[in-house]
Structures are given as structure tokens and as C-alpha cells.
Amino acid sequence: MQTASVSPGASQGIIQVAVPSPLPQTFDYLLPADCSVAQIAPGARVRIPFGRSHKIGIVMALESDSRIDPSRLKPAIELLDHGALLPPAILSLAQWASRYYHYPIGEVLSATLPTLLRQGEAAQITKPSGEKMWLLNDSGRAISPQTLKRAPRQLALLQHLQQSEKALNASELDVQFENWRGVMRSLHEKGWIDIQEQTTLPSPAAETTTAPELNAAQTFACDAIHNALGGFQSLLLDGVTGSGKTEVYFNAVEQVLRADKQALILVPEIGLTPQLLKRFQQRFAVKIALLHSGLNDKARMNSWLQAKAGDAPIVIGTRSAVFTPMARLGIILIDEEHDLSFKQQEGFRYHARDVAIRRAQQAGIPIVLGSATPSLESLHNARQGRFQHLTLPERAGNAAHPKIRLLDVRQQKLTEGFSTTLLQAIQHHLDRGQQVLLFLNRRGYAPTLICHDCGWLANCSRCDAHMILHKSRNLLRCHHCDSQRRIDTQCPDCGSVDLRPLGQGTERAAEALAELFPQNEIIRIDRDSTRRKGALQSLLKQVQHGHGQILLGTQMLAKGHHLPNVTLVGILDADQGLFGLDFRASERMGQLIIQVAGRAGRGDKRGEVLIQTHHPEHPLLNGIIHHDYSRFASDLLIERSQAQLPPFRHIALLRAEASRRDQPHAFLSAARDMGFQLANTQGAHCPTELLGPIPAAMEKRAGRYRALLLIQTHQRATLHNFLRHWLPQLSQLPQAKKVRWSIDVDAMEIG
Ligand code: ADP
Ligand code: ZN
Ligand code: ZN
């Protein structure tokens, strides 16, 4: 522990530290006792006393004096980095994000760091950086089954390892065995197992694939990106599914690597796009650093440090990777830019796409946003001339657009949710040895359980929601608060035992398909069937070269998978999204349908898409079937403009929740009244509208009541100016103590 023997004064130096805490400001400290001014760099971590404990903060600046009487300043405890851990580019990006999202700088910076660095670990690449692999040694191979006849689990694992030629990693073992680690330990203790460590960074592929000859639209896009290199520009790569966007990314990355720069590629969820990763590895024989939540802490820190040092020319990561320091950043690419997972939905509610654009601007480099279904924000930006709009209207290679048809299911006989026309089409495609993909965006067996005698519904007691029936696990589960209970056998209201599943989820549809198509394999892909690590990969592998299978799944199936044998896509219920409560519901439904439809006919055979609906005349569905995402999006943009919604207005949501229903309303009303006064003083020429408070779409969730207030302006600057003055006053409101509240700038859903 340091004593206060350091005499405070200007020559001593004072550091301004960003500390993770709910307070927005930075904090001043004296230098640590053994430390001179010359050793301190902004961007270094420092351990400081904070309240009754210690915290790790980031040095933002060195000052010669402080707003606070220096005799009251405490010395920092220790400096953790020599030099800047976070370079100036990341510090200024974080400062911008802190101002833009009105979130404390200390929290923002802390969120940019890999866990181990946040905890104070030395910023060094650690060895071994490897993941463990398990392999039988010679004595293990020689064991006869008799030896283990009283340990059936050990025997099963041993036999599995005996059959495998190579060492297996944890995710491969996860797919085959539940709770294998203890069993493996027993085998290891018997001396039959060798444990190897392999590097987690994908090693450069031995053979790299070469680029196909680019078509005219691809060439045009690549040239545009080429011309943009070396300066800031946003380019929207708007290419239909299968149009070869990935080839354009490759070409851009190649150009950047040739100039000895690095490329940062952001993807929605790495677990869902294993194929994209593999294609990058096959194309580029360079080190690729991965940054996503599936990595262990060490691997993640190593990737981060390699990116920072410039040792990894390609960095691929999810949302938070947008803050990775990179020594020689030359380009940023965002795949599936419309994907909602780029927006963090709690805490620091940033949008990685928007932060990335800001980063590109600060760095003076181009950014490419790719999608088959661009967000309305990006399309609007392209139309306003802020983004260069690059289109790839045709599928690449030999693949043609699939044929899309609406199936009017009104008054039709449905067998477990399937119309006769759809069933016949499925049979037709299966008979030709092709695969069928069916999309139903509802997991579980049925959306709920109903009493056939009195109409009672199984609801969650903690949320305004139904309990979802999961038949295979004999459970009713709430997907909002995760509470669960055994399936009721008797109605709690009338005592009837005639309780029936209501509606259809993927589990039930899979059960029906197994009866309808007993000869064919049914593969269900949703959160439940892919819970175990590596399960999705192995299911996709099964599908990749398969024939005559039916794939049934939720939106996980919409994500960029290349499934060349799928020729029929069936959408079981398109009506879900048509009348959603949220203003983005139709945009999202259209994107989903087009992305799912895009899985059809990506090989040599033409694809077909059938969409079941009760609203075949709906204009949005009609936009979709003419393959015209741009027409569909234009219609939506007109609606948004008329309804004065984003991207024509700038919005923020003030959310509040509490255990009593009246508390969030009381807080939000007081906040609104305070806001009215403030908006008046800002002048009438740049109005700030405050709408609400209204209850959230799901008012009660996990036992708490939620409500919201919408803030809306014409100009972005007006919004931020208003928030900057308003938010600090809110914590002073007496009603604030009774609620948990947060601000969400550019909220993606009003709910
Ligand atoms: P997207 O990312 O737009 O969905 P992909 O890049 O995955 O499309 O391309 C779809 C398929 O077309 C891939 O198998 C890819 O190898 C192939 N492809 C891309 N560009 C060309 C081209 N110019 N000529 C031939 N095949 C191509
Ligand atoms: Zn009943
Ligand atoms: Zn619940």
C-alpha cells in the first residue's frame, strides 16, 4: 500500500483516469509513487483506489493541475502498461461513442478491452495460446474392451477415440458426448491419453483457393473500392443472395494486404457463419485473428494483441471487435450490415456499424457495408448520396434467381400447418434427391398450452407472455425470463385434463414431417437443437453433401449458409411479421424471408420458394415475390417518412422499469415535464418531441414493469444537444430512485 508521501504539485503530474462506473466524468489521481511523468502515456491502464476498493482505469491525459485541490488527490496504486495499451485512435473513438450514446467513458473503454486485460493481466501474448486436443496414446490403443466393462462411459469414449485417427478438440467431443470431461480425466489418469495443445488462431491454409473470374458488376464494385482506398468513404454493397459479395470482400482484402495494411471484418455471429471463416482461411495464407465470445479469454486476448501489433493482417470479429486497436488499418468490411446483432441491446447500447463508420472516418479509410437486404438506414444514406451504392443484381456463376410464389392458405385444409400444395412440392423435390428447407420462426413444440374445456392458457406468471411448450423435455418454458415448469396435466381453472398444444413450433412441425415423410431424414436447426458447442457445424456438415433431406428451422437458417442441394424453400407462416407491433417488424420480416429464400437454388439447379400466407394481397409480400427488395424497401421508406420514423427522424428511448407498475410511469412523466421545459428553452425552430410515457410492448417481464418515453427530433444535433442537458438532470428527480432507467440512442425497437 502506498503512503501519501508524494508531495502533490505541478511538477509531480496529475493523471485523468477513465474509471468503469456509472459516473460520466473522469477522475484525477496523482502518479503512482514509483512512477515519473515520462513513464505515463495516455491509453495505459492504471490501478487506482476507488471508493472502498480498487479499480482498473485508463489514463486519458496528463495534466499539470487539477480542478480538485491537489492535497485531496490520492495517488494511483500502480501503472500496468508501459506505453499506450489503447492507441489514440481508439481513445478518441471511445470518447466519441461515449458522447454519442451518452454512456460513461470509463464503461465504454472497459467494454473495448478483452476480459483478461480488463482484469489487469499483463498485455503479453501468452504461451501456450493453444486449445487442448485429446488423443489415445499407444497403451490406450492397446486396451481391450473387457478391461472397461464396468465403466461403460469410459469404454464408449475410449472406443470413440480408437476409431478416430486424429486428436479431438473440445467442440468435437461436445457433439458426441455429454459431460465427457470427467470421463476423459479418468482415462488420462490411467495413462491412456495424450493431451496436445494447438494454436487457436486458424493456421494459414496449406492450399489457398483462387478467385473465379469476376463478372461485370463485381468488377465495377471492386474498382470502386480500389478507388476509395486511402481516404474515407462508405460504400453500400447491395447484392442479392448468391451474387458473389464474398468475392468482392476477398478482392478488397487482397488489395489492402498488398499495400501492407490490415483489414477488419465484422460479422453478425461467428457461430452462425462458420463457412465464411473457412472461405477466408482457404483464400488467404496469412494469420487471421478471431474475436468473438466463443473463444476462451486467453485466445481472445492473444488475437487482440496480434491485431494491435499488426501481426494479424486480417481480423474477423463480432460486434465488439469494432474497437480492436489495429496498427495499420486499411479497410473495414461489415457483412450482413442489416443484422440486428450489431446493436448491443443492454448496457452500452452502441451500434457497431455506426461506430465502424465513425472509425473509418477518423482513420481516413473506406468502409464497405454488404447485404442482400440492406437496412433502411443504409439505403436512405445511399439515396442521400452519403454512401456510394454498389449493386450486384444477378447471382454469380450459373445460379439463377429462385422462382417465388405465394400460397393462399385461406380456407385451405392444412395438415399440421402444411397446405396440400406445399406437401406436394416437398414430395416432388425429395423424389429428385434434392433437399428442402422449411422455415418456421418459432422454436419449441407449440407457442402454448390451452384448456379445451374452458380456454385457460398457460401464461408466465412473471411476464406478459405465454409459456412455450417443449414436449421432448416435458417442459413449459418462458422464452423471456427462462422460468420453466413441468407440463400441466390438469387445468388449474376448471380441472379438465383435456389440455392441448396451441399453434405450431419447430419441434411439432418436425414431428409431423417425420410422419408425413417417413423415408426422409428430418434435420431441425434452432437454438434448442444446436445448444451444444459445435452442434450447428456438425448439422450443417451433414446437410452440405446430403440428399433427400428436409431441413426445418428458425432464423438461424437465414444466415448466409451455402446449401447447394436445397432447391425448395417453404415459408410456413409469413403472417407473423406483417402486423407486428414494432415499427421495424415488416422490415425484419422482409429481410428474413428474402434471406431464407436466398438459400434456394444456389447450386446448378434452379430454386423454388413457396410462401404460405393468409394475406396474399399484402403489398409488402408482393414486393418480396418480385425479387425486388429495393421496391419493398422503397415502400417501407415512404411509410416511415409519412409516420415520421427513422431514418427520417432521430430517436432515443428513455426506458424505465420497477417492481410496481406506477413507478416507471411516475419517473417518465416527471422526466417528460422536465424535458418540455428544456425543449422550450432550446427554441422552436429545432423541435424535440417527447412522446409517452407508454407501457413497453411486453409491459411485465421477469417480474418487473416496464415503460418508455420516446424522444424524437429532425436533426441529429438537436437530439444530442437535448440529451446532453436533460440526462444529467434525470438522476436528480426523486422518482429516479424508485426505478432502473437507461437511455437508448438510435433504439432499434420501440418496446
Ligand atoms: P454472396 O456472399 O453474395 O451470397 P457468394 O460470394 O457466397 O455470394 O457467392 C455465391 C457462389 O457463387 C459461391 O459459390 C461463389 O464461389 C460463386 N461465385 C462468386 N463469384 C463468382 C464468379 N464471378 N464466377 C463464378 N462463380 C462465382
Ligand atoms: Zn380449463
Ligand atoms: Zn417469463
Side-chain angles (χ1 to χ4, degrees):
M1 192 65 207
Q2 313 296 328
T3 59
S5 64
V6 193
S7 65
S11 62
Q12 214 53 46
I14 286 160
I15 48 176
Q16 237 179 53
V17 183
V19 185
S21 94
L23 299 167
Q25 70 271 31
T26 53
F27 298 84
D28 290 355
Y29 286 87
L30 301 173
L31 300 191
D34 53 349
C35 196
S36 72
V37 169
Q39 288 171 295
I40 301 258
R45 288 170 302 162
V46 65
R47 197 186 301 276
I48 38 113
F50 195 81
R52 273 189 229 147
S53 63
H54 297 170
K55 284 201 174 187
I56 292 173
I58 304 286
V59 177
M60 298 304 287
L62 259 165
E63 305 285 346
S64 50
D65 55 53
S66 168
R67 294 155 289 178
I68 296 173
D69 174 4
S71 66
R72 293 179 49 211
L73 291 181
K74 291 186 194 158
I77 296 164
E78 65 174 322
L79 183 67
L80 295 170
D81 299 299
H82 300 286
L85 179 67
L86 291 170
I90 298 302
L91 291 182
S92 62
L93 186 66
Q95 279 170 319
W96 172 83
S98 163
R99 281 194 305 273
Y100 187 92
Y101 294 103
H102 299 269
Y103 204 67
I105 179 68
E107 294 283 3
V108 170
L109 285 167
S110 173
T112 72
L113 290 176
T115 312
L116 291 179
L117 295 177
R118 200 182 304 151
Q119 293 167 348
E121 198 96 346
Q124 283 167 357
I125 294 187
T126 51
K127 294 232 171 185
S129 66
E131 78 168 314
K132 277 191 179 168
M133 308 274 282
W134 289 265
L135 182 70
L136 279 187
N137 55 26
D138 288 343
S139 27
R141 295 209 173 270
I143 298 303
S144 86
Q146 277 307 75
T147 325
L148 282 173
K149 68 171 189 281
R150 289 214 216 132
R153 293 192 25 93
Q154 290 183 32
L155 180 61
L157 186 55
L158 182 90
Q159 288 180 327
H160 183 67
L161 291 165
Q162 281 177 334
Q163 280 157 19
S164 166
E165 304 272 300
K166 62 180 182 73
L168 298 175
N169 65 20
S171 52
E172 287 164 322
L173 288 160
D174 283 341
V175 176
Q176 304 289 340
F177 292 91
E178 261 180 77
N179 304 325
W180 53 270
R181 284 179 193 270
V183 186
M184 187 69 87
R185 209 171 307 126
S186 311
L187 295 179
H188 186 237
E189 278 160 11
K190 292 181 172 141
W192 299 337
I193 301 284
D194 282 346
I195 300 178
Q196 305 174 344
E197 304 235 348
Q198 282 213 342
T199 171
T200 329
L201 282 181
S203 46
E207 271 170 84
T208 50
T209 51
T210 48
E213 200 176 322
L214 299 181
N215 62 35
Q218 285 172 315
T219 307
F220 184 87
C222 293
D223 288 348
I225 297 169
H226 184 79
N227 292 332
L229 291 177
F232 167 60
Q233 191 173 347
S234 307
L235 303 103
L236 176 61
L237 182 62
D238 176 0
V240 299
T241 53
S243 60
K245 291 184 290 297
T246 316
E247 289 300 333
V248 176
Y249 300 151
F250 287 161
N251 186 285
V253 171
E254 246 168 51
Q255 297 182 43
V256 166
L257 298 195
R258 221 176 288 136
D260 199 29
K261 294 272 173 63
Q262 292 169 284
L264 171 62
I265 298 141
L266 299 180
V267 296
E269 278 172 272
I270 286 190
L272 298 184
T273 49
Q275 292 173 355
L276 182 75
L277 277 189
K278 199 155 150 225
R279 284 172 70 184
F280 265 96
Q281 276 171 273
Q282 284 170 342
R283 181 60 69 84
F284 296 98
V286 301
K287 200 181 273 177
I288 300 179
L290 295 185
L291 285 156
H292 60 92
S293 55
L295 298 176
N296 67 37
D297 289 345
K298 255 187 198 158
R300 200 156 171 174
M301 175 167 81
N302 286 347
S303 291
W304 193 90
L305 291 168
Q306 282 169 326
K308 171 175 149 78
D311 290 343
I314 299 178
V315 178
I316 304 182
T318 46
R319 185 171 62 217
S320 66
V322 70
F323 290 104
T324 315
M326 292 176 68
R328 294 172 283 108
L329 184 58
I331 197 167
I332 304 177
L333 306 173
I334 303 198
D335 191 31
E336 312 288 359
E337 70 88 32
H338 64 278
D339 199 286
L340 275 185
S341 71
F342 286 121
K343 177 80 154 69
Q344 178 140 313
Q345 305 282 15
E346 76 278 338
F348 173 27
R349 294 178 159 83
Y350 66 101
H351 199 308
R353 176 193 62 213
D354 299 339
V355 175
I357 292 172
R358 182 69 191 188
R359 183 168 185 183
Q361 191 183 23
Q362 289 184 347
I365 56 166
I367 175 166
V368 179
L369 313 177
S371 177
T373 54
S375 62
L376 296 185
E377 275 74 12
S378 294
L379 281 174
H380 182 63
N381 278 325
R383 290 180 184 189
Q384 301 279 308
R386 283 190 288 267
F387 293 179
Q388 185 177 353
H389 197 167
L390 305 169
T391 52
L392 306 178
E394 297 300 328
R395 284 192 155 185
N398 298 323
H401 282 304
K403 199 164 63 187
I404 306 188
R405 256 195 310 148
L406 294 180
L407 294 184
D408 182 356
V409 293
R410 283 176 301 187
Q411 295 163 16
Q412 296 282 310
K413 171 174 171 283
L414 294 179
T415 313
E416 290 285 326
F418 297 91
S419 65
T420 314
T421 321
L422 181 57
L423 288 175
Q424 284 167 350
I426 295 172
Q427 191 64 60
H428 180 83
H429 284 256
L430 292 177
D431 286 346
R432 278 159 189 71
Q434 294 152 3
Q435 290 167 326
V436 172
L437 185 159
L438 299 172
F439 175 70
L440 178 63
N441 211 12
R442 236 177 295 157
R443 64 191 170 90
Y445 188 81
T448 195
L449 194 65
I450 188 169
C451 170
H452 193 57
D453 287 330
C454 78
W456 166 89
L457 291 170
N459 289 330
C460 175
S461 59
R462 308 178 66 217
C463 307
D464 293 330
H466 298 309
M467 299 287 277
I468 312 290
L469 181 63
H470 288 262
K471 192 172 161 195
S472 61
R473 298 166 66 208
N474 195 24
L475 284 177
L476 286 170
R477 288 198 52 189
C478 172
H479 288 183
H480 302 283
C481 70
D482 279 338
S483 59
Q484 56 184 51
R485 63 170 194 256
R486 303 218 140 237
I487 297 176
D488 304 275
T489 47
Q490 213 176 11
C491 172
D493 282 0
C494 75
S496 159
V497 290
D498 192 0
L499 301 182
R500 301 180 180 184
L502 181 70
Q504 191 188 33
T506 47
E507 209 184 308
R508 185 176 193 176
E511 193 180 273
L513 287 166
E515 266 177 37
L516 291 161
F517 301 95
Q519 315 292 341
N520 299 86
E521 192 183 0
I522 317 288
I523 299 176
R524 175 162 69 92
I525 296 186
D526 56 28
R527 292 264 167 229
D528 298 316
S529 71
T530 58
R531 213 169 278 280
R532 274 183 296 169
K533 220 169 145 200
L536 176 65
Q537 256 107 320
S538 74
L539 283 176
L540 286 175
K541 209 175 279 170
Q542 213 176 321
V543 169
Q544 205 95 91
H545 305 289
H547 295 278
Q549 295 156 321
I550 302 179
L551 284 74
L552 166 75
T554 56
Q555 56 180 323
M556 289 179 83
L557 279 176
K559 309 264 172 179
H561 307 299
H562 189 61
L563 308 168
N565 295 331
V566 168
T567 50
L568 173 66
V569 166
I571 291 170
L572 299 190
D573 179 5
D575 301 339
Q576 274 179 300
L578 287 177
F579 307 99
L581 285 175
D582 193 76
F583 77 94
R584 274 178 221 274
S586 0
E587 175 185 2
R588 228 169 283 148
M589 184 227 31
Q591 288 167 339
L592 257 178
I593 292 183
I594 288 175
Q595 295 281 355
V596 179
R599 302 309 116 212
R602 286 170 68 95
D604 300 331
K605 301 171 212 101
R606 178 148 194 214
E608 183 181 7
V609 180
L610 297 175
I611 303 179
Q612 296 193 145
T613 176
H614 288 89
H615 302 274
E617 73 300 331
H618 200 290
L620 291 178
L621 284 179
N622 282 283
I624 292 171
I625 61 168
H626 293 105
H627 281 289
D628 205 347
Y629 179 72
S630 99
R631 202 179 92 192
F632 167 77
S634 295
D635 289 348
L636 282 182
L637 277 169
I638 292 170
E639 272 185 33
R640 294 271 187 94
S641 157
Q642 287 165 349
Q644 311 201 345
L645 285 165
F648 299 92
R649 290 293 182 281
H650 300 283
I651 63 163
L653 270 192
L654 181 65
R655 291 195 179 87
E657 58 168 69
S659 50
R660 268 176 35 200
R661 183 181 257 130
D662 57 321
Q663 290 166 334
H665 282 267
F667 168 73
L668 294 173
S669 305
R672 181 198 54 203
D673 295 344
M674 189 178 262
F676 279 148
Q677 287 174 12
L678 193 65
N680 284 337
T681 62
Q682 282 190 334
H685 60 283
C686 49
T688 301
E689 289 174 60
L690 298 168
L691 306 171
I694 54 166
M698 186 182 298
E699 184 177 16
K700 188 171 158 205
R701 189 157 90 191
R704 296 175 68 84
Y705 293 91
R706 303 146 71 238
L708 43 96
L709 184 70
L710 178 67
I711 304 106
Q712 181 165 293
T713 65
H714 279 85
Q715 305 289 332
R716 203 183 281 288
T718 317
L719 180 67
H720 286 282
N721 192 25
F722 174 77
L723 294 178
R724 201 166 47 248
H725 291 98
W726 185 51
L727 294 176
Q729 299 182 17
L730 295 186
S731 14
Q732 319 293 326
L733 289 170
Q735 295 89 339
K737 291 182 189 63
K738 307 256 170 61
V739 301
R740 223 185 283 152
W741 65 269
S742 62
I743 190 78
D744 187 355
V745 174
D746 302 336
M748 295 307 279
E749 40 202 348
I750 301 184

